[in-house]
Amino acid sequence: MAAEDLPPADELTFEEKLAALNRTVMRHPLNREILYKTLAFCETERPLREAEDFIAALPQFNLATQNQYYLLTSLAKAHGLELIERDETGEPVTAAQKEGLTEDEVDDLVAAISFKTTEVGAYFVEYNRPQARLVDLLSLDPGRADTYRELLEYVAAEARPYRDIEAFLDGRPALQTVIDGRPETMQPSVFVDKLERAGALVWKDGWTLTEEGREFLEDLKVHGQA
């Protein structure tokens, strides 16, 4: 994909670009955290190979539905990343320089591709930081906040298979809810899913804390909340 293949950003408002980026990141749960972390990583301009290596090293990439290049270009199409083409001297290649050139001549002109987070992407990263997502999760569901904290501590000790988490949460009042006026028992997977969506848990030979989840738990302990 070349820079000119991207949707024209100047025809959209900031809010429209942000909505497009949000749809792209949130579309598939197996790619969600990878795309978020890629936006954060590319706040400093990254060569294609460096960005691809970063994505491949993420524990979430084991379950990704697309390869690294596809994930990067999907963020570029959604206005979260800027795709930058540079010549052999490191200078950006412009559309005007490509005008009238054959495909082979363009390939000769473009020596390297890199990606850099856009203003829209940077806003998305800041707004969706895992720590903020976790604070929102606990504050929006205060009746289950203690259970979330205890589950974070449980998986902090070692990676846990789901059956262990199921046993750990079995019989807790926090699993009880009311749906359409009827009492129901939630599956423990609901807690796992919400903590994963918040960026606190990752599957790595068992459910374990992400770096952000561990930092959040330590912060709770510092403030006497865990």
Side-chain angles (χ1 to χ4, degrees), residues 18 21 35-41 43 117 120-130 133:
L18 185 60
L21 179 59
L35 294 171
Y36 172 82
K37 289 180 179 294
T38 299
L39 288 170
F41 181 69
E43 287 184 320
T117 304
V120 172
Y123 178 91
F124 184 90
V125 168
E126 183 61 31
Y127 186 81
N128 289 281
R129 290 199 180 280
R133 283 182 265 165

Side-chain angles (χ1 to χ4, degrees), residues 10 35 62 81 87 103 113 128 133 143 148-149 170 218 226:
D10 55 357
L35 294 171
N62 291 327
L81 292 180
D87 61 23
E103 187 175 330
I113 294 174
N128 289 281
R133 283 182 265 165
Y148 282 117
R149 293 188 191 102
D170 184 47
E218 289 302 316

Side-chain angles (χ1 to χ4, degrees), residues 71-82:
L71 295 170
L72 286 162
T73 54
S74 68
L75 288 172
K77 289 177 182 177
H79 313 288
L81 292 180
E82 178 186 2

Side-chain angles (χ1 to χ4, degrees), residues 33-49:
E33 204 62 23
I34 300 169
L35 294 171
Y36 172 82
K37 289 180 179 294
T38 299
L39 288 170
F41 181 69
C42 291
E43 287 184 320
T44 297
E45 184 179 336
R46 308 288 184 175
L48 172 61
R49 177 57 61 84

